[in-house]
Amino acid sequence: LLSICCPAIGSRLMLFSGGAATIGPGIVVGEDYGTEAMRSHQDFEKGTAKYYKKACTFYHKLGERLVGDSHTLDIFAGSLDQTGVAEAKAAVEYSGGVLVLSETFNSPTFRTSFAKLLAADEQTRELRVASNATFEVKTGRELKLSGASGPLASLRKPGPNVAEAEIGLGGTCQWRMCALDENTTL
């Protein structure tokens, strides 16, 4: 809905999750939640988590779509049980979002994190975040760009200053940062 209504407009999508996805392409556990065992750390290590790979692929593609539309995904998971954050973290990281895990939405961790995300500057009363930045590196002929790291996504823009060897997000001289705040570092 956000990508249809606000394409290429910096926006934040905030998900407040109290449980695992049981239907759809991001499924973590089946609908018969009571009888089907939830995946464990051993399942991740052995590669036997039933829905893990398919869900990770879905969330990775969702992250690419979010970046393409200049949107940021934030996930606030308030649950004692697993919520599928292991699968969904790719979309959050790719879009430069925030991921907060807490036992309940009343916990100090949740309240502090949420308040900090929505904190306004005392003088201007504006939020301390920015959206939809494009970061481009231009160099002289002698210097080749191998890549970048941080809360950004490749825009796959080739150029004469792009090195063949990639480090981090390489193969480009231009990246998008969907969300920026005063603590963003590259």
Side-chain angles (χ1 to χ4, degrees):
L1 184 61
L2 191 60
S3 104
I4 292 169
C5 296
C6 305
I9 297 174
S11 305
R12 292 192 94 94
L13 178 64
M14 294 181 167
L15 170 65
F16 296 86
S17 176
T22 57
I23 58 172
I27 187 172
V28 175
V29 66
E31 286 186 61
D32 196 9
Y33 190 54
T35 60
E36 187 175 337
M38 195 68 159
R39 74 257 197 278
S40 66
H41 291 288
Q42 290 84 12
D43 294 328
F44 290 133
E45 290 172 3
K46 295 176 188 174
T48 59
K50 186 174 181 180
Y51 305 102
Y52 183 73
K53 288 182 183 177
K54 191 173 181 180
C56 284
T57 300
F58 166 74
Y59 286 111
H60 182 75
K61 289 179 181 175
L62 177 64
E64 289 177 349
R65 185 173 176 189
L66 288 164
V67 170
D69 288 330
S70 303
H71 299 153
T72 302
L73 174 62
D74 299 316
I75 297 180
F76 296 91
S79 176
L80 290 171
D81 207 349
Q82 297 182 45
T83 58
V85 169
E87 292 85 348
K89 73 176 183 170
V92 174
E93 290 173 346
Y94 205 59
S95 66
V98 173
L99 178 62
V100 177
L101 299 169
S102 60
E103 293 179 0
T104 67
F105 290 122
N106 287 329
S107 74
T109 301
F110 170 77
R111 289 175 181 241
T112 303
S113 300
F114 193 63
K116 188 172 181 177
L117 182 65
L118 297 177
D121 184 273
E122 293 176 15
Q123 293 176 344
T124 64
R125 305 188 91 170
E126 295 174 352
L127 293 179
R128 295 180 180 166
V129 295
S131 301
N132 198 16
T134 300
F135 178 68
E136 184 171 1
V137 176
K138 296 182 179 186
T139 65
R141 283 178 251 155
E142 303 82 32
L143 188 61
K144 297 284 186 180
L145 189 60
S146 292
S149 64
L152 40 80
S154 172
L155 291 179
R156 296 177 184 90
K157 181 181 177 185
N161 64 335
V162 176
E164 288 183 26
E166 292 185 25
I167 299 174
L169 295 172
T172 186
C173 61
Q174 197 174 68
W175 296 266
R176 173 164 294 136
M177 294 176 285
C178 295
L180 298 159
D181 64 22
E182 56 198 22
N183 298 315
T184 301
T185 57
L186 299 176

